[in-house]
Amino acid sequence: MNNPFEKIFNYQLSSRLEETGVYTLTSQERSWLKSMLEHPAAHEALEPRTIAKLQECVLDDEISNLLDGLEQKAGSLETQIVHPLLSPIRRILRNRQGMTIQCRTKKGKLNEPQPGIPYKLEYSMVKREWYLHWYNSSTRSILHTRLCHIVSVEQSRVSRTSYEEQTVRAQKLFEAPRHEAVVEVIRTFNAELTRILHAFSCFDKKVEFDEEERTYRIHLTFTDSEGQFVLTKLRFLGKRVRVVEGNYLKYRMRETARKALALYGVEGANAVETSDSDQSKAAEGSADAQKAEQSSNSKNAADIIARTKIPG
């Protein structure tokens, strides 16, 4: 390959390789793979047979290590995102079996082992921690446990019928508490759409564009546990967006504005309380009046937050 950028820009080549299931590796990619396999975390993140198979890709090549000659002078504390329990839990998920799990509380108290079904693993970008969502067979409830609080996990055999029944119950419990909201991008900030969408990249969303008004609307779907994170993103974006639909977000944004204005005097807090009472009066009227009042309140709350510069 004469042109080193041919793999990136040659669409015909990449599409043909994708159709045949072939993936080409550049020398830089093999060098990165070699450095990754030599990292101590590789033995915790990958199984031995997976490591052996990947080492075959770089076995016969004399590839220079990308990290050679590089020395880190300073940096923040490195967070280990690979946990030793990830591999056994993933194995239980693949085998579609039950488990016996023992956890400790935040204060260090050791709980009794509990039977259950692992539902999914999730990594929190905010707290930089792994969570296990699992169904407790004894209490028939959904639990969200940090991997750092799990002492041991052992696979237990359950019948296929019992596994399917518990999985269905767990799925219903997971999908029950969900909220929907519509966030509108202020037309002046349409050029920052990529940045705004990146802020909501970890949520289920759908984007629509109104050609007449030339405005973008983002339809968000999130759970109760994700509500605080959505509010954090809204406060970060400030007056670039406004909540058009979603009583839950509107209420929380008004609460934030009330608390912020209370720091600068009672008059500001009373102004927000007055707007809330006006909204309740408008709710007794027509549906159109109520919708207009709610939209006005959410816009005022977003503008207030932007002016007071509340930290996310």
Side-chain angles (χ1 to χ4, degrees), residues 234-235 238 253 256-257 260 300-310:
L234 289 174
R235 294 164 188 155
M253 292 291 283
T256 302
N300 292 338
D303 292 339
I304 292 169
I305 294 168
R307 291 196 298 270
T308 53
K309 297 183 179 179
I310 300 175

Side-chain angles (χ1 to χ4, degrees), residues 25 290 307:
L25 288 174
Q290 180 184 9
R307 291 196 298 270

Side-chain angles (χ1 to χ4, degrees), residues 260-274:
L261 291 175
L263 298 176
Y264 296 90
V266 183
E267 295 181 359
N270 291 337
V272 179
E273 292 177 357
T274 304

Side-chain angles (χ1 to χ4, degrees), residues 29-237:
E29 290 170 339
R30 291 198 301 273
S31 178
W32 172 86
L33 179 59
K34 181 180 179 181
S35 303
M36 184 196 73
L37 295 176
E38 293 175 355
H39 195 278
H43 297 282
E44 297 179 356
L46 304 173
E47 296 182 355
R49 59 179 182 179
T50 304
I51 295 177
K53 188 175 182 179
L54 291 175
Q55 286 176 342
E56 296 178 358
C57 300
V58 295
L59 185 61
D60 299 331
D61 298 337
E62 295 182 0
I63 304 173
S64 58
N65 196 325
L66 288 177
L67 303 180
D68 291 343
L70 296 178
E71 182 181 356
Q72 184 175 357
K73 293 294 185 179
S76 58
L77 181 63
E78 182 180 358
T79 303
Q80 187 73 1
I81 64 173
V82 179
H83 197 278
L85 290 177
L86 286 176
S87 180
I89 293 175
R90 284 171 175 167
R91 190 180 302 112
I92 297 174
L93 285 168
R94 288 196 301 267
N95 296 337
R96 301 174 65 84
Q97 294 293 325
M99 67 176 182
T100 302
I101 182 172
Q102 188 175 22
C103 309
R104 64 165 56 96
T105 62
K106 294 181 180 179
K107 297 182 179 180
K109 180 182 177 181
L110 192 63
N111 295 330
E112 294 294 330
Q114 297 289 329
I117 297 291
Y119 186 75
K120 68 175 180 177
L121 286 165
E122 187 176 74
Y123 183 74
S124 173
M125 297 295 294
V126 180
K127 299 181 179 180
R128 297 180 180 271
E129 286 188 283
W130 280 98
Y131 284 79
L132 172 64
H133 305 289
W134 59 287
Y135 177 78
N136 192 317
S137 304
S138 300
T139 60
R140 295 191 174 186
S141 60
I142 288 293
L143 297 177
H144 314 275
T145 308
R146 297 182 182 181
L147 261 60
C148 61
H149 291 165
I150 300 177
V151 178
S152 62
V153 176
E154 297 181 0
Q155 180 174 314
S156 59
R157 297 186 62 84
V158 296
S159 62
R160 182 56 57 89
T161 304
S162 176
Y163 179 85
E164 295 294 341
E165 290 177 355
Q166 295 185 61
T167 303
V168 171
R169 287 198 293 266
Q171 187 174 2
K172 289 181 180 180
L173 291 174
F174 267 108
E175 295 179 352
R178 297 187 71 85
H179 300 280
E180 295 183 358
V182 179
V183 179
E184 184 178 276
V185 181
I186 304 302
R187 187 167 55 182
T188 310
F189 299 96
N190 281 352
E192 300 185 27
L193 180 64
T194 303
R195 177 188 180 187
I196 296 172
L197 291 178
H198 183 268
F200 299 113
S201 59
C202 55
F203 303 106
D204 295 334
K205 61 183 177 300
K206 183 179 66 174
V207 183
E208 65 177 14
F209 177 68
D210 189 344
E211 295 184 358
E212 296 181 358
E213 299 292 336
R214 299 194 61 80
T215 56
Y216 291 91
R217 288 194 172 189
I218 307 171
H219 298 257
L220 296 175
T221 304
F222 54 93
T223 62
D224 287 335
S225 60
E226 297 172 336
Q228 186 62 39
F229 193 36
V230 177
L231 290 168
T232 302
K233 293 300 182 182
L234 289 174
R235 294 164 188 155
F236 168 74
L237 294 173

